[in-house]
Amino acid sequence: MIILGIDPGLATMGFGVIETERGASKVVDYGVVLTPKEETLPVRLALLEEGVQKLAAKFKPDEIALEELFFNNNITTGINVAQARGVILLTCVKNCGRLYEYTPLQIKQALTGYGRADKHQMQMMVKTFLRLEKIPRPDDAADALAVALTHAQTNRLRSPFGIK
C-alpha cells in the first residue's frame, strides 16, 4: 500500500510517501511544496493545489493521511493555514478519496507511545521506523513521514478486526 502523508502549511507543506507491506514500511520519497510569501493568498493556495495534484499523479497513493490543524496563539497565521488545509483536503479527496486525519497528539502517541513527545524524539522515531541513515530534512517532511507512519500503524490494527 502506498500512503501519502501531509503536514499542511501555507508557506511550507511537507509530504512523505511510504510503501507499507505486512507491517513494514519504507520511504518512497519526501520533501516540501513551497509557496513564496510575496505572492497573494489565492496564488499560494493555487500553488498548493497544484503541488498536491502532482504528488497524487506521481505516486498514486492508495490512501492519504493528513495532520489535523493545531492552533497556537497567532490567530491570523492559523486562519491562513486553515485555508491552506482546506485546499489540501479538497484536492486530496478529489485525487484519492481515501483520506484520514490525525491530531498531533495521536501522531506522537503512535510513534513514541507518549503524546507529549518533543520534535527530536519524533524525528528519531521516524528515522528508526523507516531505517534511514539520518533524520529527514526539512522538519516538515519528517512530520509528513510521521503522519504516514501513524496511518500505516493505525490501518494495520484496523484490518484484523474488520474495521473499515
Side-chain angles (χ1 to χ4, degrees):
M1 171 186 298
I2 301 293
I3 300 169
L4 169 60
I6 296 179
D7 178 33
L10 178 61
T12 307
M13 180 195 83
F15 72 88
V17 182
I18 64 171
E19 183 174 2
T20 184
E21 189 175 319
R22 296 188 191 123
S25 298
K26 67 178 182 179
V27 171
V28 175
D29 197 7
Y30 61 87
V32 293
V33 173
L34 302 171
T35 67
K37 59 181 153 191
E38 57 275 358
E39 288 291 353
T40 63
L41 179 63
V43 169
R44 294 175 85 182
L45 295 174
L47 291 170
L48 287 173
E49 177 193 24
E50 180 183 332
V52 173
Q53 285 184 5
K54 286 180 178 177
L55 291 169
K58 180 176 181 179
F59 299 108
K60 298 180 181 21
D62 298 299
E63 297 179 346
I64 299 175
L66 201 79
E67 183 172 345
E68 286 189 5
L69 190 57
F70 172 74
F71 269 103
N72 236 347
N73 296 331
N74 190 341
I75 190 77
T76 305
T77 301
I79 291 170
N80 287 341
V81 173
Q83 291 182 75
R85 193 172 177 282
V87 167
I88 293 165
L89 282 167
L90 177 63
T91 309
C92 287
V93 164
K94 284 185 169 185
N95 283 277
C96 178
R98 296 180 56 98
L99 180 62
Y100 302 85
E101 299 178 75
Y102 300 94
T103 66
L105 186 77
Q106 289 171 317
I107 296 165
K108 290 175 180 184
Q109 184 76 36
L111 266 65
T112 69
Y114 177 58
R116 304 267 183 243
D118 65 32
K119 190 166 259 324
H120 182 70
Q121 287 173 299
M122 292 294 295
Q123 291 170 343
M124 289 302 295
M125 293 309 292
V126 167
K127 177 183 171 247
T128 301
F129 279 128
L130 294 172
R131 297 173 298 285
L132 300 171
E133 290 185 25
K134 57 186 179 183
I135 293 172
R137 295 284 180 225
D139 290 352
D140 304 276
D143 293 348
L145 286 169
V147 176
L149 280 168
T150 298
H151 181 65
Q153 291 181 357
T154 304
N155 189 52
R156 184 172 51 112
L157 293 174
R158 269 197 308 248
S159 297
F161 300 104
I163 301 170
K164 299 194 186 220

